[in-house]
Amino acid sequence: MTSRFLGEHSGPWLSGSDRSSAVLVQPIGAFEHHGPHLPLQTDAIVVDELARALVESCSALELMVLPTLSYGLSSEHVWAPGTVSLGPTTLIAVLDDLASSAARAGIRRLVLLNGHGGNTHLLRVACREIRVRHGLLTFLLHPALPPDNGGEVGDPRERGFGIHGGLAETSVMLHLRPDLVDMGKAEASVPDWLDGFEHVGFGRAAEFGWSSQDLCASGVVGDPTCASADLGREHVAHALTSLGSALAEIAVFDFPGRKALDGGVAEQAASSSGAAGWRTS
Ligand SMILES: [Zn+2]
């Protein structure tokens, strides 16, 4: 099979044929504190492994996968040594440059495959800005949306607070990279005190800004103590199924009647950057 990893091809391979029906996937992780039991690069490792698995499970789709972006917006963990965070304007600028390059290559569909909850709100903004500035069809995909970003509450043992280094994430790492997990250092760290509020909290009327240190001193928010590789395998299988179904729709999705506008935006973008070769249909 022709490689789905764009970096393994030559430039002429890309420009030599029409790629307007391709789905370009940019996996995005983070480099941040995950407590004493998980590595700093957890989010990047997980999203990179999922992207590779999707290439196998979605072989009928014309996916093109970019190298995983191993840094993200991790300001909620910068208090902890080891965290490396891009600023929000930096990350937006990186994604804008990436989208500009993709548009010049004739790509129309860009998927941001996000492995870090702290990136989510910014990536929603990036999808809209790239859509408007470069005319690309943009999509934001998550293997699993955490409760603080509108996802399901998850395991009742974590009472809706399993958002960072907890049961699900630790289990997935035990499945994918058990050599990097130290379960002897895993400790439950669930902010029960938030239960005392009716309106303020994750998924409630009044959201709040937070640093992980505000929620739990260890920086872990959840309960990893019952994590297992079997549970991680289930999570990965579920994620691959839902991501694959979403990608199949993304491959054919379009806004009816909007192609002419896309072409105008794209031509402006190409001429202002001095680029050539943009295709819109
Ligand atoms: Zn994480």
Side-chain angles (χ1 to χ4, degrees):
M1 186 182 79
T2 303
S3 174
R4 296 301 190 195
F5 299 97
L6 185 55
E8 296 180 2
H9 291 282
S10 67
W13 174 85
L14 184 65
S15 59
S17 57
D18 184 3
R19 302 292 166 194
S20 59
S21 61
V23 178
L24 185 65
V25 178
Q26 173 64 70
I28 305 173
F31 196 104
E32 64 186 28
H33 175 74
H34 274 80
H37 65 297
L38 289 177
L40 294 163
Q41 213 171 341
T42 292
D43 294 356
I45 290 170
V46 171
V47 80
D48 188 79
E49 294 279 351
L50 287 173
R52 292 175 185 280
L54 283 169
V55 163
E56 299 293 324
S57 62
C58 299
S59 58
L61 300 176
E62 191 185 345
L63 299 184
M64 290 199 295
V65 181
L66 289 166
T68 294
L69 182 59
S70 294
Y71 304 104
L73 176 60
S74 298
S75 41
E76 73 274 38
H77 304 292
V78 291
W79 61 271
T83 297
V84 178
S85 178
L86 302 180
T89 54
T90 306
L91 183 53
I92 284 278
V94 167
L95 294 172
D96 187 78
D97 287 347
L98 186 148
S100 175
S101 301
R104 285 198 302 273
I107 299 295
R108 288 200 71 229
R109 290 178 172 80
L110 173 64
V111 171
L112 305 180
L113 178 59
N114 181 32
H116 168 47
N119 290 336
T120 302
H121 293 293
L122 191 71
L123 296 185
R124 287 177 176 138
V125 174
C127 279
R128 187 179 61 206
E129 294 301 306
I130 291 169
R131 170 73 189 141
V132 172
R133 283 172 53 79
H134 302 292
L136 293 178
L137 296 167
T138 52
F139 307 88
L140 177 57
L141 272 184
H142 294 89
L145 206 55
D148 58 319
N149 279 303
E152 294 176 8
V153 168
D155 191 284
R157 284 171 288 191
E158 295 181 307
R159 297 182 294 288
F161 300 120
I163 63 170
H164 186 66
L167 181 61
E169 190 166 36
T170 303
S171 294
V172 168
M173 281 297 283
L174 282 172
H175 169 52
L176 296 175
R177 291 296 304 271
D179 55 310
L180 299 180
V181 183
D182 186 348
M183 286 302 289
K185 294 180 178 172
E187 288 185 13
S189 192
V190 177
D192 293 306
W193 56 271
L194 271 169
D195 278 336
F197 294 86
E198 181 183 352
H199 302 288
V200 178
F202 298 153
R204 297 174 187 160
E207 298 183 26
F208 54 83
W210 55 273
S211 160
S212 57
Q213 202 177 25
D214 294 332
L215 301 176
C216 296
S218 68
V220 170
V221 189
D223 183 357
T225 56
C226 297
S228 71
D230 284 345
L231 182 59
R233 188 178 300 108
E234 285 178 28
H235 280 301
V236 168
H238 179 75
L240 289 175
T241 300
S242 61
L243 289 170
S245 299
L247 284 167
E249 281 194 4
I250 286 170
V252 297
F253 178 88
D254 212 335
F255 295 111
R258 299 288 292 181
K259 291 184 179 179
L261 175 62
D262 288 355
V265 173
E267 283 163 18
Q268 282 177 16
S271 63
S272 64
S273 65
W278 168 261
R279 291 182 292 269
T280 57
S281 61

